[in-house]
Amino acid sequence: MLIDIRSLSLKVGDHQILHDVHLALNAGEIYGLVGPNGAGKTTTIAAAMGLLNREGGTISVLGDDPGIDARSIRARCGVLPEQNGFYDWMNAADYLGFFARLYAFERTLREIQERLTQVGLEPHPRQTIGTFSRGMRQRLGLARALIGNPELLVLDEPTNGLDPRGRREIHNVLIELSRRGVGILLCTHLLDDVDRLCHRIGLIVHGRTVAEGTLAELIQKADKRTRFRVRLGGPLPKAERGPSHVSIVAEQGDWAVVDLDPGTAPAVAWRELLLAGWPVVEIHAAGGGLEDLYLSLTEDKAA
Amino acid sequence: MSPVVVLARKEAGELVLSPRGIAWLLAMAAALSVFGLLLVGNTELSLLDNAQVVYDMAGIVTALGALLAVVVGNDSIAGERERGSLMALLLTPISRAGLVTGKMGGLVIAWVLMFLIAVPYLWAVGSTGQNLVAAILGVALFGTPVVLSFGLFAMGLAARLGSSRSSLIATLIALLVSGSPVVLGPSLRQSAIGRMFDAINPFSGAVNAFDSVIIDSQPIAAQAGRLGLTIVWLALATWFAYSGVRRLAR
């Protein structure tokens, strides 16, 4: 296991920021750490990297305790912090070369160019970072996190400031890294990123992990139905018994709004609909997924 | 290459390549030019003894060097923190001690550049050049610990205080207080409080050593006590910086 955090509690000054945080990340996994602003996501990352001392609980990162050997952990991790500043007077290649040397790597210019290309950043060699757009800076930050060939990537809001194409490109980079066995802790409030990328999710509210698991598990645990809009090519069959795992919420002309029962895989539900004789033309997600789950869980805990 | 050297090289690069660093060095050169012109151009000041003029210039070089070190030291921690680049450094494998040492390397390079800029001014104000070697040696030997002490003190304070502005103002006040006996004149310095302050103040230690070496032509070896005072302050400031940076992000 790359990260194993159990019952983590932490104070900053007199403020109790974390009460009871759990997190388990395996190699090759993308773990989404989500929660409202101020929930303790960034503090959890800081504790995992040895920047903050914990009050209670245990933390193991790459087999080491960050309270004892933070440098060894940092040498094997790539981190993109939320507060992501640069040396504006440098160019991208010099900047990455500087950080590579801090990781005790002497990267050739070609290797540095490969890292820049990997994240979709190809500036003019003499262009200084001061002239970069926000999206270019975000990509450079990701290249910096990758410069030491990390076993573990910790990314705090990595797609902030990126356009939809840029976000998709970064998603592809992260998926490729995950396939190569790199564990990725993705801290974000963009639920679309979580939905698209993460194998497992941890939800933190007020410094406590209130839910952890795969999206399907969380929806099942929270008894949240997944809602879809189904476009129909004709009227619904008048059968006495409809599909058993799907309930119709509303019918609006050619469209029907349906809820899937908790834990029902969408593919199973669609087969049921077809077997029941539904003239299905197309299906769209219509809420009831991660966003609804997030809102209901954060609302419950905030209340 | 050691991460400490890598960081020190980056700090030096920032000083000579970034617009901010270039502006600081140009400001120092401009200040030296103004003081140099005053010393040789002003009717009253130009009547001063040659050794006295070189002594004055040595004090000015040390004071400006300390000012530059305060600005560089403060910016290297508080400025980086406010620009968001310090966190990326803290997340690399470099140790906190390595971070301070690398940043201290940047201070040393800033002072060396300032010193090189100052040498022609020392030569220019001492028209005969007879006190030049004593002045250069004096500034190098007694000025260096004072300048680095203020830079490290600024780093330690910047690591402890939340804002760059607060730490800069606090360090500048400390620099002004330290330099005040030199400004206030000999009568106050002869009082009991003045003498006590002189005995513990590193700035006074350096300036009094300049007086003995440049004006009175005493041997440098006779200034061991004053050198010791500046080195004690350098050691204290180094500890202050290390302990402050160790607490960063904690």
Side-chain angles (χ1 to χ4, degrees):
Chain A
M1 196 173 284
L2 299 185
I3 302 182
D4 186 13
I5 296 177
R6 296 179 191 188
S7 307
L8 172 64
S9 60
L10 188 149
K11 265 185 180 178
V12 176
D14 293 332
H15 299 283
Q16 188 79 41
I17 307 291
L18 302 180
H19 297 272
D20 183 21
V21 172
H22 298 262
L23 197 160
L25 169 67
N26 296 304
E29 193 174 57
I30 305 180
Y31 185 103
L33 189 61
V34 293
N37 291 334
K41 304 184 294 289
T42 301
T43 306
T44 302
I45 291 177
M49 292 299 111
L51 295 177
L52 291 171
N53 286 329
R54 66 178 178 268
E55 187 192 27
T58 59
I59 309 178
S60 166
V61 180
L62 300 166
D64 288 322
D65 183 339
I68 296 170
D69 201 357
R71 286 179 64 199
S72 152
I73 291 171
R74 289 184 208 134
R76 297 156 66 196
C77 283
V79 186
L80 175 66
E82 187 182 12
Q83 196 191 24
N84 197 17
F86 298 89
Y87 303 121
D88 286 351
W89 52 277
M90 284 186 179
N91 63 42
D94 287 346
Y95 182 75
L96 289 188
F98 165 65
F99 274 92
R101 284 189 288 276
L102 286 182
Y103 280 91
F105 284 105
E106 198 59 53
R107 295 273 184 233
T108 63
L109 193 58
R110 190 167 151 238
E111 287 171 317
I112 285 170
Q113 289 299 342
E114 280 172 6
R115 280 284 180 275
L116 291 171
T117 308
Q118 186 182 7
V119 298
L121 185 62
E122 292 176 46
H124 188 277
R126 298 173 87 176
Q127 187 179 358
T128 55
I129 299 169
T131 63
F132 281 15
S133 67
R134 193 172 169 197
M136 291 170 81
R137 285 169 171 256
Q138 200 68 0
R139 288 168 193 264
L140 182 60
L142 184 58
R144 183 188 66 215
L146 293 172
I147 200 70
N149 288 340
E151 297 165 52
L152 169 65
L153 259 184
V154 179
L155 309 174
D156 202 348
E157 308 288 359
T159 56
N160 258 0
L162 295 179
D163 57 29
R165 184 180 295 278
R167 279 181 66 201
R168 184 59 64 88
E169 286 170 6
I170 296 300
H171 286 177
N172 292 338
V173 171
L174 299 183
I175 290 167
E176 179 55 32
L177 287 164
S178 151
R179 283 190 186 133
R180 283 195 231 152
V182 177
I184 300 172
L185 178 61
L186 180 67
C187 187
T188 182
H189 62 266
L190 296 173
L191 298 179
D192 184 44
D193 284 4
V194 177
D195 207 4
R196 198 183 293 264
L197 293 170
C198 296
H199 302 109
R200 290 193 312 119
I201 302 161
L203 178 61
I204 297 185
V205 182
H206 295 322
R208 290 180 203 280
T209 302
V210 296
E212 192 185 22
T214 63
L215 180 56
E217 284 168 356
L218 293 185
I219 288 171
Q220 188 170 13
K221 275 185 201 164
D223 194 24
K224 291 290 162 194
R225 290 160 186 264
T226 308
R227 183 162 293 181
F228 289 88
R229 295 177 72 226
V230 182
R231 191 173 152 219
L232 305 167
L236 286 176
K238 292 193 168 93
E240 281 188 12
R241 280 189 61 197
S244 56
H245 293 100
V246 179
S247 47
I248 300 170
V249 176
E251 282 185 65
Q252 301 158 346
D254 292 345
W255 292 88
V257 180
V258 298
D259 274 351
L260 272 57
D261 283 352
T264 303
V268 173
W270 310 149
R271 193 164 54 237
E272 272 190 12
L273 292 185
L274 292 171
L275 290 173
W278 282 42
V280 176
V281 177
E282 57 186 280
I283 299 170
H284 295 274
L290 181 58
E291 188 167 326
D292 278 4
L293 174 73
Y294 173 87
L295 289 173
S296 69
L297 284 172
T298 52
E299 196 173 53
D300 290 349
K301 301 296 170 188
Chain B
M1 191 187 297
S2 152
V4 172
V5 178
V6 172
L7 185 57
R9 279 180 57 179
K10 190 279 288 179
E11 296 293 321
E14 188 147 20
L15 199 64
V16 294
L17 294 176
S18 76
R20 189 171 52 249
I22 293 168
W24 292 338
L25 289 176
L26 285 176
M28 290 299 138
L32 284 172
S33 299
V34 169
F35 285 117
L37 271 174
L38 267 176
L39 286 170
V40 295
N42 182 283
T43 314
E44 287 178 18
L45 291 174
S46 62
L47 295 175
L48 288 172
D49 176 56
N50 177 263
Q52 179 70 40
V53 173
V54 175
Y55 158 80
D56 285 343
M57 198 64 189
I60 288 166
V61 169
T62 306
L64 287 176
L67 181 63
L68 179 67
V70 162
V71 173
V72 170
N74 181 68
D75 186 75
S76 70
I77 301 291
E80 279 220 32
R81 182 169 52 205
E82 287 184 0
R83 291 190 291 275
S85 52
L86 186 65
M87 186 52 74
L89 274 183
L90 293 174
L91 288 166
T92 64
I94 192 167
S95 65
R96 293 292 193 280
L99 187 75
V100 177
T101 313
K103 298 270 182 193
M104 192 176 164
L107 278 181
V108 172
I109 291 163
W111 169 233
V112 169
L113 287 174
M114 170 81 197
F115 188 81
L116 292 176
I117 292 170
V119 168
Y121 290 93
L122 283 169
W123 175 81
V125 296
S127 54
T128 59
Q130 65 190 34
N131 307 101
L132 185 64
V133 173
I136 289 173
L137 283 177
V139 172
L141 206 58
F142 304 102
T144 299
V146 172
V147 167
L148 295 183
S149 296
F150 277 102
L152 287 162
F153 177 66
M155 281 170 61
L157 213 53
R160 284 170 171 85
L161 297 181
S163 96
S164 167
R165 195 178 297 172
S166 307
S167 54
L168 183 60
I169 289 171
T171 322
L172 286 176
I173 289 171
L175 180 60
L176 278 174
V177 170
S178 178
S180 61
V182 186
V183 181
L184 290 175
S187 56
L188 191 73
R189 291 174 69 186
Q190 290 309 313
S191 68
I193 295 175
R195 279 204 300 272
M196 192 178 74
F197 195 55
D198 257 10
I200 58 167
N201 179 3
F203 207 92
S204 301
V207 171
N208 290 336
F210 295 157
D211 190 339
S212 303
V213 171
I214 298 169
I215 297 178
D216 302 335
S217 301
Q218 289 180 12
I220 284 176
Q223 306 303 316
R226 286 168 178 156
L227 184 62
L229 173 67
T230 59
I231 287 173
V232 165
W233 276 104
L234 177 61
L236 286 173
T238 306
W239 168 82
F240 187 67
Y242 274 98
S243 63
V245 169
R246 204 178 301 127
R247 287 160 45 163
L248 272 176
R250 283 183 186 274

